[in-house]
Amino acid sequence: QQPVQSPQAVILREGEDAVINCSSSKALYSVHWYRQKHGEAPVFLMILLKGGEQKGHEKISASFNEKKQQSSLYLTASQLSYSGTYFCGRNSGNTPLVFGKGTRLSVIA
Amino acid sequence: SAVISQKPSRDICQRGTSLTIQCQVDSQVTMMFWYRQQPGQSLTLIATANQGSEATYESGFVIDKFPISRPNLTFSTLTVSNLSPEDSSIYLCSVEVTGTWNYTFGSGTRLTVV
């Protein structure tokens, strides 16, 4: 089953923060976050494994709440380069990723 | 992470014909995946291609329409057969570099069927 992402779309001004949520009705073993710019392939951002860990990548970080079967991606002090569609993907061990429908993020000056 | 070369990057095909997409990886990987991304949509898994065995197809995708080959641990092809306009999409291959949990994508093939 496909993870559920929210919101579907968000518009930010440069410097503003955003949170993108990803939830699953199936048990999450790991959550993978990707960003895709128009006309390009998805680019890996980070992975979170069971254990409720939080990771960071520059001003982008994420958390994974195993009990709630939920992950959140935090974008702080957004930059124009953050624009794109963000996908969360879940899998259960060594299986292919199943992706959510995506969240379209637009950062404007 | 692995580097994937995917060809062609785009093609325009006549309905009823077929297109074969190639995916070459710079390292040996156990599992390769093929996805379809329709315009403005998410990535939908077509099949998993393992070397030395038949590909495993997801619901809604059949081997006759999407035959896959996996002759070795660095290469795979996806053929989209008997093309119709509904097959117009971006097709992407993906690999998981064994043991890293990092799934890398090829640059994609944009197929337009006319």
Side-chain angles (χ1 to χ4, degrees):
Chain A
Q1 274 181 330
Q2 194 175 35
V4 177
Q5 286 186 236
S6 63
Q8 290 183 335
V10 59
I11 300 174
L12 299 175
R13 291 196 177 276
E14 274 187 291
E16 291 182 339
D17 302 338
V19 180
I20 300 171
N21 297 306
C22 175
S23 63
S24 175
S25 58
K26 285 193 74 170
L28 286 174
Y29 193 83
S30 65
V31 178
H32 304 238
W33 286 97
Y34 288 80
R35 177 172 59 210
Q36 185 179 32
K37 292 185 179 286
H38 183 69
E40 299 179 8
V43 173
F44 173 78
L45 292 176
M46 64 188 76
I47 176 176
L48 299 103
L49 303 177
K50 279 173 65 172
E53 64 175 309
Q54 186 154 350
K55 280 196 171 182
H57 176 71
E58 297 181 343
K59 293 180 180 176
I60 300 175
S61 62
S63 63
F64 180 14
N65 187 319
E66 185 182 337
K67 285 185 179 178
K68 291 184 178 180
Q69 305 288 15
Q70 182 177 320
S71 177
S72 296
L73 187 71
Y74 307 94
L75 301 102
T76 58
S78 58
Q79 307 167 13
L80 293 175
S81 62
Y82 286 4
S83 293
T85 301
Y86 289 76
F87 293 99
C88 69
R90 65 148 184 87
N91 72 344
S92 304
N94 198 23
T95 59
L97 290 176
V98 176
F99 289 93
K101 291 188 176 182
T103 296
R104 182 170 296 182
L105 178 74
S106 301
V107 181
I108 58 176
Chain B
S1 61
V3 176
I4 302 174
S5 173
Q6 186 173 340
K7 296 179 181 180
S9 59
R10 59 179 63 230
D11 207 341
I12 301 173
C13 298
Q14 297 288 325
R15 74 175 67 199
T17 63
S18 299
L19 176 70
T20 296
I21 303 166
Q22 299 180 359
C23 193
Q24 177 75 52
V25 191
D26 69 343
S27 57
Q28 294 185 337
V29 294
T30 303
M31 301 173 77
M32 296 181 76
F33 310 102
W34 287 98
Y35 287 86
R36 181 175 71 184
Q37 187 173 32
Q38 294 176 306
Q41 302 296 313
S42 183
L43 297 95
T44 301
L45 181 67
I46 297 172
T48 300
N50 295 322
Q51 194 267 336
S53 63
E54 292 280 338
T56 302
Y57 290 84
E58 298 299 303
S59 175
F61 298 96
V62 295
I63 188 170
D64 289 346
K65 177 68 174 176
F66 299 99
I68 288 171
S69 77
R70 182 81 199 274
N72 57 52
L73 290 174
T74 64
F75 187 78
S76 178
T77 66
L78 169 75
T79 299
V80 188
S81 303
N82 190 23
L83 291 168
S84 68
E86 292 71 36
D87 295 320
S88 297
S89 287
I90 298 173
Y91 294 84
L92 299 112
C93 65
S94 175
V95 303
E96 187 257 341
V97 179
T98 307
T100 68
W101 295 85
N102 183 343
Y103 291 72
T104 303
F105 284 85
S107 54
T109 297
R110 184 180 295 269
L111 169 63
T112 302
V113 183
V114 297

